[in-house]
Amino acid sequence: MILAIAGREVRGIYVSIVGWATLAVSQLLLAWLLFSQLEVYQKILPGLVKTGSPMGLGDLVISPTLSSTALLLIILVPLLGMGSLGDEKRSGRIHLLLSSPVSPLQLVLGKWLGLLLAVLPLLLLMMAMAITLGLGSALDTGRLAASFLGLLLLSAMAAAITLWLSSLNEQPLSAAAMAWGLMFLLWLLDASPTSSLSIASLSGHLSPFFQGLVRSSDLVYFTAISLAALGLCMHRLWRMGGGR
């Protein structure tokens, strides 16, 4: 049942030209950013070789592009999932779903998985572009794998937050705006002078993945926020009459 709901969610996103156009524009933007970083790298490469700098393609081209990919995901995921549950509520289909054999848990996990699968092509295309750079230089595959894991965890967290806020708002743009606000607030906590707030910084927990580090604290951070958002979403559906 969860896979069926996820498949329906993916089809709902890509059945119209909007989903494909969003993916195409995002991919073109990431390609432009990657080649811009590569052009800058080629210009400063003689100076790096002359000074014996240890910084290479991964530090000056791939990592900055992956950071830009993270910001793009923060914008893209709420845009794709802003009406996931809000549209169901506005049309009245949510009551039919909750009165069917589908439980709130299955509905939430199916919607979340579908949204995550919808943004997965963008991550895979980004990784494919980074891997092609290995044709002309040596790449740290472990670092690249850690970076992909970090972006996947970010996408999962953004999807969970978007789904929760979509369950609270019948207007898709309101859900998207709230998701953007919350995600960027977490991102900017890294600049907070208060150490207790910087612990919850999104960028602070994401950047180690781009350096090839997979820390348990970062895994717990993304997992805890994702589970909390999904739990709040299920509680909202339960209050609407979907309790079993």
Side-chain angles (χ1 to χ4, degrees), residues 82-83 86-87 89-90 165-166 168-177:
M82 59 184 180
D87 288 342
K89 290 173 60 180
R90 190 169 60 254
L165 295 175
S166 178
L168 300 176
N169 295 274
E170 292 186 2
Q171 299 301 322
L173 287 179
S174 298

Side-chain angles (χ1 to χ4, degrees), residues 73-238:
L73 286 172
I74 292 177
I75 298 173
L76 180 63
V77 174
L79 190 63
L80 292 176
M82 59 184 180
S84 184
L85 286 172
D87 288 342
E88 306 282 10
K89 290 173 60 180
R90 190 169 60 254
S91 65
R93 291 193 303 267
I94 188 67
H95 298 290
L96 294 176
L97 288 171
L98 294 177
S99 62
S100 69
V102 178
S103 67
L105 175 62
Q106 292 173 324
L107 180 59
V108 170
L109 290 181
K111 291 276 189 179
W112 171 77
L113 181 59
L115 184 54
L116 186 59
L117 291 175
V119 299
L120 187 59
L122 181 66
L123 296 182
L124 295 176
L125 288 172
M126 181 62 235
M127 289 296 111
M129 288 194 301
I131 291 174
T132 56
L133 296 179
L135 299 176
S137 62
L139 289 180
D140 187 342
T141 55
R143 183 175 180 179
L144 201 58
S147 300
F148 178 78
L149 176 60
L151 291 176
L152 187 63
L153 290 172
L154 172 64
S155 301
M157 187 182 81
I161 290 175
T162 301
L163 196 63
W164 165 48
L165 295 175
S166 178
S167 70
L168 300 176
N169 295 274
E170 292 186 2
Q171 299 301 322
L173 287 179
S174 298
M178 293 176 66
W180 288 329
L182 181 56
M183 294 288 288
F184 279 112
L185 175 63
L186 291 175
W187 184 275
L188 295 174
L189 284 179
D190 191 43
S192 173
T194 307
S195 59
S196 58
L197 291 178
S198 61
I199 294 175
S201 166
L202 173 56
S203 59
H205 286 281
L206 182 63
S207 57
F209 288 98
F210 298 153
Q211 305 302 318
L213 301 176
V214 180
R215 305 183 305 187
S216 58
S217 59
D218 300 326
L219 295 175
V220 170
Y221 173 84
F222 285 103
T223 303
I225 293 181
S226 298
L227 291 177
L230 292 175
L232 289 170
C233 184
M234 284 186 286
H235 178 68
R236 173 63 177 172
L237 295 182
W238 180 82

